[in-house]
Amino acid sequence: MKKLLGLAIVMGVVACILSCEDEAENPGDFNLKAELTLDPMTMTSTSGLTYTLEEEEVYDTVFTSTYEKIDTTFEVDANGDFVIGPDGKKIPVIGEDGHIVTTRTPVTFETGKRGVFHKMKLIKLESKADTFTIHIKSNARWRAPQYAPTKAQWFYNYNLRTDGNSLTGNGDGYFYFRTLRNKNKTRVEPVPQYIFTSDSTVMYQLNFGQAGERD
């Protein structure tokens, strides 16, 4: 596994996510360290196609957090020294609004939490409409986002649950998605699909493109 410390994941960015899975029969042991793998490393479709899932890069991730450091601005004399008041303290600068002038500096620090990020190789799907299944093996709750921005209205998480709710996954399960038929040329912009444990210590980024009938 290629390890590259320094790929920072800020948890607030991935807080609003969705997932797609049938009711899990094996929720796993949530007291253990979260684990998640794509097992087997293949993806199948309802039309009978099988695609191999291959890793392009694997990173050790460093979780970071940010706070805002607030400092008071003090008066200085012509020599750059702080001006001291009668009470022996530095004199703060007062702004036009009558309040003390302060500076705000964002400070980023490592939280000590580590994870693993798996970036998968691009998979070029067939031009026809199809539905795909990826098997997930995990001892943890996991999530996956619905990727459907304005410029990629051809790739959708597929909801197989009758109650209309596919927001959570627990333990071993399946991830489904479907594609629309591409009557044009190859879709140049790849679609990233993320699947990760709810604490985000294990994350997969799958990347999909689609051939076109006019290629």
Side-chain angles (χ1 to χ4, degrees):
M1 179 180 75
K2 178 181 177 182
K3 296 186 176 181
L4 220 112
L5 289 175
L7 178 65
I9 296 182
V10 181
M11 294 297 75
V13 178
V14 293
C16 53
I17 42 219
L18 308 175
S19 72
C20 180
E21 190 212 16
D22 292 331
E23 188 67 26
E25 297 179 357
N26 174 21
D29 185 347
F30 302 128
N31 295 315
L32 300 177
K33 178 182 177 181
E35 296 179 353
L36 186 148
T37 58
L38 307 181
D39 187 12
M41 291 285 281
T42 56
M43 179 180 74
T44 57
S45 75
T46 55
S47 66
L49 297 174
T50 299
Y51 296 85
T52 300
L53 304 176
E54 298 181 86
E55 291 182 338
E56 179 176 315
E57 294 178 290
V58 180
Y59 300 95
D60 283 343
T61 60
V62 178
F63 287 71
T64 65
S65 185
T66 302
Y67 70 91
E68 195 172 58
K69 182 181 178 182
I70 302 176
D71 293 308
T72 299
T73 301
F74 296 98
E75 292 186 5
V76 294
D77 59 23
N79 296 321
D81 298 322
F82 289 116
V83 177
I84 305 301
D87 59 358
K89 297 181 179 180
K90 293 181 290 186
I91 300 175
V93 175
I94 306 299
E96 294 181 357
D97 58 0
H99 294 93
I100 294 175
V101 176
T102 60
T103 59
R104 296 172 179 267
T105 306
V107 179
T108 300
F109 63 96
E110 294 185 12
T111 65
K113 189 176 181 181
R114 296 290 189 272
V116 182
F117 180 88
H118 301 259
K119 182 180 179 182
M120 309 303 287
K121 291 184 178 179
L122 178 69
I123 294 179
K124 189 174 182 180
L125 305 172
E126 298 291 332
S127 60
K128 61 185 176 182
D130 213 338
T131 300
F132 302 86
T133 302
I134 295 176
H135 294 252
I136 294 173
K137 186 174 183 180
S138 179
N139 69 337
R141 295 180 177 86
W142 53 268
R143 303 177 179 181
Q146 165 67 64
Y147 188 87
T150 304
K151 296 182 179 179
Q153 294 294 330
W154 61 274
F155 182 100
Y156 301 95
N157 285 8
Y158 190 67
N159 184 5
L160 294 183
R161 291 179 53 170
T162 57
D163 60 7
N165 180 7
S166 58
L167 303 181
T168 59
N170 296 285
D172 296 351
Y174 304 90
F175 170 75
Y176 308 96
F177 70 93
R178 62 184 175 87
T179 58
L180 302 182
R181 178 183 176 185
N182 184 9
K183 299 179 182 179
N184 299 308
K185 293 186 177 181
T186 294
R187 302 187 192 276
V188 177
E189 190 71 24
V191 168
Q193 172 64 61
Y194 296 93
I195 301 175
F196 47 91
T197 55
S198 59
D199 64 359
S200 296
T201 55
V202 183
M203 178 182 289
Y204 281 81
Q205 178 189 330
L206 296 105
N207 301 285
F208 298 102
Q210 188 183 33
E213 294 180 358
R214 294 176 57 190
D215 290 348

